[in-house]
């Protein structure tokens, strides 16, 4: 029975979508005002696999209906704020969406428009709302309204029009002014700023979602004066007394102050303890700025004016000195002011100009910003005006000492700045080819150390291995193997390790993985590094199957065989198993990997008969016949006398989902008549148990054992997660950083001896330590499959971190102690993607000398209990060499 094809098959779907993208010149937004739709990433991934894997005959399943519900907040139905592009969702053109929805149905449609954001065209996912207060001359609120659905690209003129309409004011637009009252609610010291450039956009002025705006009618005389003063870089403070407005002054930024010898204590009692207002998820920036600001050596260099001499306006990869100058402005506002908080609006705008990834309002990675900032300031202050082109000579006879010195000198000929002086060190990197064992040693500079957390490095895995059994064989039991392997190893390493343990040759060992929320991956590719795959999911279940064919040969075709639970019946969770061949979608609804025990078999792609297939299935399922009456007879019985019925359906690309309703029961004769050909797309075979007594016994005696073994895997995976809360030391992280790793395929190394790219092994050792040592704890792991934050508590010393045992360079040469003290920390709280950043920093300029403070955006408070500093929220650590 064949259904009519009602829509294009996979490859035609892809062609149609490709054609749409080609018409628009690619798969990225190119013009303002385009319509794009948000689609669930899991669905689009399954769809791509479906339309792309056909040639490889991997039998990827047709995806079901589009389901975007998990992208929406439960109640408001708004788009969730914690989504990450490509992990949670993808964007497709509206025309592509229209095609997909026509083929697959589902929804709901989440459509968005493109805007210009900085120098880029982007899809605006979230719209803003503002609270607008109409105030009189005395700042008494007359009326107010909420403006919803505001685009970041809206100009002040448009915003004003919207506000006037919404407030139902009858006056012409040139008689009213909008004021930015970011801190209006909190009566902060920074007063409202007039928004007088009407052509600027919401984004350009960094207005913040949910903030208050004041709308004020223009007064004949008074406000004209007021406006004049605000035009000169001052904002008017609106006091509530109805007196003439008091002019608010931003901290003076005159040459006088800039070039004064740096001595904050005397002039500004609040120096260094000024907060930074949050301008919409800017805590990632604020926390990094506060830590840098408490790097006294760097701050002195800026505030004393010395940095002016180094400004490099001609550096093609610098920013013409603008970033350095803007950073100087931030420092002035943090150290030479009487204010308690400062909005770093200008700095953020300039930052976005140079690094569009930091534009807009999204939460970013504080460490990435720090790296960008240090690098940007370095290039802006690079004392090298013309970088010479130098090539390091290949000469293997030189000692490490000579090579490292030469590398450092060459580095300094191209890179020489206050940042290099303070922050840069050097490590030795040794790469070894796995084939010919050629090794290569280089000495590379670093600006910070990114340390892996132990959880990140080793993974304990339990893998169920199903050995193949011959047609006449008995009933092999699955065996569970446990192993521990570094996440930096590849799937190939894992298969070799497993092969040693279970005795199945690697070329016959296929590795599978199941996720509760997703389908089986068929099979996992060898070159993938474990940390780049789904292995990190604690809910993952691993299964390895022995197959008859050499899996490295392409002649065979893989058929996964799934056990399926009938969801409609329930016997306290134990239900008769059915079988589905090559059917991924159905068991997914069961939502539990233990409902699906994959068995895999290979058949020859050309000319395998139905009867051959039948015998293979029988062999695979004979583990269920491994006891009592079926143990001996099952292999030779005819279909009619077997305890199950076979139903078969040839899946068409057009069918939304394979349904048992469409399946036709097959007898021995019709099964024998079937011949599978290379072009046979996919056949789904359902196995339905006939005899419930048999099933009950089978289940009680045999399946429950299997299920228990799966349960143990699940509980082990959970244990792994709980272990992460155990205490670890910074020293262990440093040792892990030194540990050998296998390079990933993308980062493979070109071996000059093999003349080929190799997944070489790589080892790092610390060679030269900088005066200011930044340590980044890799709490976030982004992989194609998962994103995780490790909440691991890393115990790090506040006083006296000793690096002597890690330094392999010539210690006598440096004649420096390798003892470091902590002076600042960036903290991250909460989940990845959202979350909140704060900074702890030590300041010696205030009453109680050398005290720690907590910088939480605009608020700054002393830390009474020093033990707070060492917490599992610590993300970037700033150490200074003890002198
Ligand atoms: Zn080689």
């Amino acid at each position: 029975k064949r259904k009519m094809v009602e829509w294009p098959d996979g490859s035609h779907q892809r062609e149609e979508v490709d054609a749409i993208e080609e018409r628009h010149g690619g798969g990225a937004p190119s013009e303002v005002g385009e319509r794009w739709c948000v689609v669930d990433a899991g669905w689009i991934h399954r769809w791509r696999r479906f339309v792309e894997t056909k040639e490889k005959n991997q039998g990827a399943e047709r995806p079901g209906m589009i389901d975007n519900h998990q992208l929406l907040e439960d109640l408001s139905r708004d788009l969730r704020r914690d989504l990450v592009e490509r992990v949670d969702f993808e964007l497709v053109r509206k025309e592509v969406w229209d095609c997909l929805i026509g083929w697959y149905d589902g929804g709901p449609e989440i459509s968005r428009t493109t805007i210009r954001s900085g120098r880029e065209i982007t899809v605006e996912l979230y719209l803003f709302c503002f609270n607008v207060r109409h105030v009189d001359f005395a700042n008494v609120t007359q009326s107010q309204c909420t403006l919803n659905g505001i685009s970041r690209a809206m100009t002040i003129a448009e915003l004003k029009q919207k506000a006037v309409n919404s407030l139902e004011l009858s006056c012409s637009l040139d008689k009213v002014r909008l004021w930015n009252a970011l801190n209006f609610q909190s009566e902060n010291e920074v007063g409202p700023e007039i928004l007088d450039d009407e052509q600027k956009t919401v984004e350009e002025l960094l207005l913040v979602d949910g903030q208050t705006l004041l709308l004020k009618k223009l007064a004949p005389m008074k406000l004209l004066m007021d406006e004049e003063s605000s035009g000169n870089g001052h904002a008017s403070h609106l006091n509530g007394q109805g007196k003439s407005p008091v002019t608010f002054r931003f901290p003076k930024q005159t040459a006088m102050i800039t070039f004064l010898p740096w001595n904050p204590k005397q002039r500004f009692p609040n120096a260094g303890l000024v907060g930074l207002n949050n301008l919409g998820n800017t805590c990632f920036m604020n926390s990094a700025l506060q830590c840098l600001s408490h790097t006294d050596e760097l701050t002195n260099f800026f505030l004393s004016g010395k940095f002016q001499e180094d400004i490099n306006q001609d550096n093609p990869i610098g920013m013409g000195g603008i970033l350095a100058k803007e950073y100087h402005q931030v420092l002035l506002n943090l150290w030479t002011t009487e204010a308690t908080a400062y909005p770093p609006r200008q700095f953020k705008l300039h930052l976005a100009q140079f690094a569009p990834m930091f534009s807009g309002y999204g939460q970013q990675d504080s460490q990435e910003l720090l790296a960008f900032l240090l690098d940007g300031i370095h290039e802006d202050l690079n004392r090298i005006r013309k970088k010479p082109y130098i090539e390091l000579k290949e000469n293997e006879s030189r000692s490490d000492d000579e090579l490292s010195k030469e590398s450092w000198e060459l580095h300094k000929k191209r890179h020489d700045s206050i940042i290099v002086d303070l922050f840069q060190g050097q490590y030795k990197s040794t790469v070894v080819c796995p084939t010919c064992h050629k090794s290569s040693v280089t000495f590379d500079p670093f600006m910070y150390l990114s340390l892996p957390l132990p959880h990140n490095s080793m993974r304990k895995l339990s893998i169920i291995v199903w050995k193949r059994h011959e047609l006449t064989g008995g009933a092999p039991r699955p065996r569970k193997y446990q192993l521990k392997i570094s996440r930096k190893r590849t799937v190939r390493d894992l298969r070799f390790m497993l092969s040693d343990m279970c005795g199945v040759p690697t070329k016959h060992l296929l590795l599978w993985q199941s996720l509760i929320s997703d389908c089986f991956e068929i099979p996992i590719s060898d070159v993938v590094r474990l940390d780049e795959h789904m292995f990190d999911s604690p809910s993952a279940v691993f299964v390895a199957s022995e197959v008859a064919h050499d899996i490295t040969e392409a002649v065979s075709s893989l058929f996964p065989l799934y056990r399926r639970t009938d969801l409609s019946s329930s016997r306290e969770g134990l239900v008769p198993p059915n079988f589905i061949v090559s059917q991924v979608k159905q068991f997914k609804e069961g939502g539990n990997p233990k409902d699906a025990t994959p068995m895999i078999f290979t058949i020859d792609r050309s000319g395998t008969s139905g009867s051959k297939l039948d015998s293979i299935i029988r062999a695979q399922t004979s583990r269920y016949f491994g006891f009592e009456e079926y143990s001996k007879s099952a292999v030779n019985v005819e279909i009619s006398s077997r305890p199950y019925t076979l139903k078969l359906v040839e899946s068409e690309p057009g069918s939304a989902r394979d349904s048992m309703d469409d399946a036709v029961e097959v007898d021995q004769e019709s099964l024998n008549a079937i011949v599978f050909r290379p072009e046979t797309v996919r056949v789904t075979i359902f196995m339905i148990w006939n005899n419930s007594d048999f099933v009950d016994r089978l289940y009680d005696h045999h399946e429950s054992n299997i299920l228990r073994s799966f349960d143990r895997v699940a509980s082990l995976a959970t244990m792994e997660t709980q272990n992460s809360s155990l205490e670890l030391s910074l020293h262990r992280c440093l040792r892990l950083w030194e540990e050998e790793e296998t390079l990933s395929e993308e980062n493979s190394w070109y071996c000059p001896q093999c003349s080929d790219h190799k997944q070489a092994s790589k080892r790092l050792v610390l060679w030269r330590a900088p005066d200011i040592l930044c340590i980044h704890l890799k709490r976030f792991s982004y992989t194609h499959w998962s994103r995780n934050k490790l909440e691991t508590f890393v115990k790090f010393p506040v006083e006296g971190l000793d690096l002597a045992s890690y330094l392999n360079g010539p210690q006598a040469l440096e004649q420096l102690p390798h003892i470091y003290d902590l002076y600042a920390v960036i903290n991250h709280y909460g989940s990845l993607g959202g979350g909140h950043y704060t900074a702890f920093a030590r300041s010696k300029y205030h009453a109680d000398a050398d005290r720690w403070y907590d910088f939480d955006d605009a608020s700054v408070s002393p830390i009474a209990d020093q033990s707070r500093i060492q917490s599992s929220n610590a993300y970037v650590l700033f150490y200074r060499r003890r002198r």
Side-chain angles (χ1 to χ4, degrees), residues 504-517:
V504 175
T506 46
K507 63 180 181 179
H508 295 302
L509 196 61
L510 258 183
L511 196 62
W512 293 66
Q513 182 185 29
S514 151
L515 285 173
I516 281 180
S517 61

Side-chain angles (χ1 to χ4, degrees), residues 668-697:
Q668 194 71 55
E669 202 179 329
S670 48
L671 193 62
N672 287 343
I674 297 171
V675 176
F676 295 94
R677 302 196 180 284
E679 63 271 18
T680 303
V681 178
R682 187 183 52 183
V683 173
T684 302
I685 300 177
F686 297 87
M687 302 182 59
I688 299 121
W689 295 106
N690 297 334
N691 182 328
S692 62
D693 285 349
F694 170 77
V695 168
D696 285 352
R697 270 177 296 141

Side-chain angles (χ1 to χ4, degrees), residues 433-438 749 751-755 758:
C433 174
T435 314
C436 70
H437 302 290
K438 171 170 174 66
W749 175 69
C751 174
Q753 205 155 288
C754 298
S755 300
K758 296 284 178 185

Side-chain angles (χ1 to χ4, degrees), residues 225-242:
M225 286 162 56
D226 182 17
E227 267 188 317
E228 270 163 31
S229 66
S230 66
N232 296 331
H234 304 299
S236 290
H237 181 68
L238 303 183
N239 66 14
Q241 305 307 310

Side-chain angles (χ1 to χ4, degrees), residues 507-770:
K507 63 180 181 179
H508 295 302
L509 196 61
L510 258 183
L511 196 62
W512 293 66
Q513 182 185 29
S514 151
L515 285 173
I516 281 180
S517 61
D518 207 346
C519 46
F520 275 86
E521 181 73 356
I522 321 171
I524 307 170
S525 164
D526 250 11
V527 293
V528 189
R529 243 170 60 156
L530 299 188
D531 60 358
E532 291 173 343
H533 207 272
M534 316 184 273
F535 285 86
D536 272 354
S537 166
S539 58
V541 171
F542 302 93
V543 180
S545 306
E546 183 188 8
V547 294
H549 290 243
D550 184 342
I551 58 170
T552 57
E553 288 172 18
V555 290
S556 60
S557 172
L558 293 167
F559 275 72
L561 180 68
Y562 294 104
R563 186 171 66 73
R564 181 196 170 216
T565 311
D566 182 356
L567 296 170
S568 59
S569 71
S570 69
R571 204 172 133 263
E572 290 173 342
L574 294 177
V575 285
N578 296 321
F579 289 92
I580 299 172
V581 178
S582 188
Q583 169 66 318
V584 179
K585 185 70 191 172
Q586 297 276 341
F587 85 79
K588 196 193 158 191
E589 290 162 6
N592 195 327
K594 68 186 184 189
D595 290 338
T597 312
M599 285 171 281
I600 311 161
F601 55 93
T602 55
I603 62 168
D604 203 315
R605 277 175 89 160
S606 52
T608 294
S609 67
S611 55
K612 177 79 188 302
L613 178 71
D614 179 43
S615 63
I616 295 171
I617 294 171
R618 257 186 291 157
Q620 282 289 333
T621 55
S622 68
R623 62 182 162 94
Y624 293 101
F625 313 143
F627 63 101
E628 295 187 15
E629 63 263 44
Y630 286 96
S631 59
K632 292 178 183 71
S633 59
V635 175
N636 298 315
V637 290
E638 294 292 298
I639 281 184
S640 55
S641 59
R642 272 183 242 143
Y644 56 78
T645 305
L646 285 183
K647 284 188 174 184
L648 191 143
V649 60
E650 190 171 350
S651 311
E652 291 173 40
S655 64
R657 148 178 320 190
D658 300 310
S659 160
M660 204 145 69
D661 301 338
D662 294 336
V664 177
E665 192 172 328
V666 284
D667 54 19
Q668 194 71 55
E669 202 179 329
S670 48
L671 193 62
N672 287 343
I674 297 171
V675 176
F676 295 94
R677 302 196 180 284
E679 63 271 18
T680 303
V681 178
R682 187 183 52 183
V683 173
T684 302
I685 300 177
F686 297 87
M687 302 182 59
I688 299 121
W689 295 106
N690 297 334
N691 182 328
S692 62
D693 285 349
F694 170 77
V695 168
D696 285 352
R697 270 177 296 141
L698 175 129
Y699 218 82
D700 292 343
H701 293 109
H702 191 77
E703 278 295 271
S704 54
N705 286 337
I706 297 169
L707 288 188
R708 269 201 292 278
S709 65
F710 277 109
D711 283 342
R712 277 200 294 275
V713 172
S715 63
L716 254 175
T718 318
M719 251 173 58
E720 188 77 355
T721 315
Q722 284 164 352
N723 278 346
S724 65
S725 60
L726 293 177
E727 182 180 301
L728 302 156
S729 69
L730 190 62
H731 287 287
R732 222 180 122 199
C733 300
L734 279 159
R735 287 292 172 218
L736 276 167
W737 176 81
E738 295 178 320
E739 220 169 67
E740 181 178 299
E741 67 169 327
T742 308
L743 295 176
S744 67
E745 200 188 16
E746 294 104 84
N747 290 324
S748 61
W749 175 69
Y750 185 80
C751 174
Q753 205 155 288
C754 298
S755 300
D756 196 8
H757 286 274
K758 296 284 178 185
Q759 284 183 263
S761 69
K762 183 178 175 182
R763 243 188 92 86
L764 301 176
V765 292
L766 207 53
W767 202 263
R768 178 193 293 265

